[in-house]
Structures are given as C-alpha cells and as structure tokens.
Amino acid sequence: MRIVERRIRRSEQRELALRYQIDHARDQARLEALVLADEAGIALAESGDRAVCEELAAIAPLLGRTISMPMPPLLRGADVAVRTMRVHGQPLYLASIGGTVARDALLATSLRGVERILAAN
C-alpha cells in the first residue's frame, strides 16, 4: 500500500509548521484572519493582516471564556470565532474572522493539526 502525502508544505521546525497549518486553514475556510494565541494573548502563529491578528490574539483568551464582550476597533462588526484547546496542560486559542459555512469544520481540522504539531515537538 502506497502512502500519499496530503501536505504540500511541511517543516520539522515547530513555528514554521504552525504557520503552514494556519495559512492552509485560512485559505481553505476563506477567513480574513486566523491566529493561534496563548493565554497571555500573544500570537504563536498568524495569517492575515498583522494588526488584525494582534487584536484577535489579544482578545482570544477573553472570548474563549465569555459569551460576548465589546470588540476592539479593528474587530468591530466582524464575525469572530474562538476555539479553545489544551496542549501539555496549557490553554491555547484558535481565533478567526470571517469564513464560509465550512468554517467550523475547518477550524476543528486545524485544531487537530495544531495539536499534532505541538505534541510532536
């Protein structure tokens, strides 16, 4: 049985592998921005406008714990989604803006990819 590699880009370097994962998920879901943030609101990987990603990373931990809150200027009126995960006991947040109807499924797939990358390193 022949194994077919689905990934076009891959890297053994964790930061680069995360970037590839986030870029791919953003493209597939047609998101305006996608960011992986830590509990402090720092972006670990991002794809999209840098200023938007920084704001998204900063509020991701807050949105991951609350239903709603006032949005910062660059995110007002945006369709923001946050998914929470734990890796090595630490909370991480995958936050996005925009997307198609397939956004939720693609975010779930991206979460699994992020977990795989971080668990391997």
Side-chain angles (χ1 to χ4, degrees):
M1 182 172 167
R2 192 173 143 199
I3 296 176
V4 177
E5 176 60 49
R6 296 172 311 176
R7 292 172 277 172
I8 296 169
R9 299 184 299 175
R10 66 181 315 160
S11 176
E12 297 298 320
Q13 297 176 356
R14 183 181 68 184
E15 292 79 15
L16 189 54
L18 285 172
R19 175 61 191 254
Y20 288 162
Q21 172 63 37
I22 297 299
D23 279 344
H24 178 73
R26 178 178 169 238
D27 289 345
Q28 291 295 307
R30 296 187 182 120
L31 301 169
E32 179 183 333
L34 181 61
V35 64
L36 177 67
D38 66 10
E39 182 67 18
I42 305 296
L44 304 176
E46 62 187 53
S47 182
D49 179 85
R50 185 160 181 92
V52 170
C53 287
E54 287 176 3
E55 280 195 7
L56 192 56
I59 66 157
L62 299 172
L63 289 173
R65 292 188 296 264
T66 62
I67 302 297
S68 66
M69 62 176 281
M71 290 291 180
L74 292 177
L75 304 181
R76 285 191 189 125
D79 181 16
V80 177
V82 177
R83 301 294 181 270
T84 304
M85 62 190 287
R86 292 186 94 65
V87 176
H88 302 298
Q90 300 298 315
L92 296 176
Y93 305 90
L94 189 63
S96 67
I97 297 176
T100 64
V101 295
R103 175 185 70 188
D104 291 335
L106 288 164
L107 287 178
T109 300
S110 187
L111 279 175
R112 287 191 299 276
V114 167
E115 287 174 335
R116 178 188 46 79
I117 291 165
L118 293 177
N121 290 296

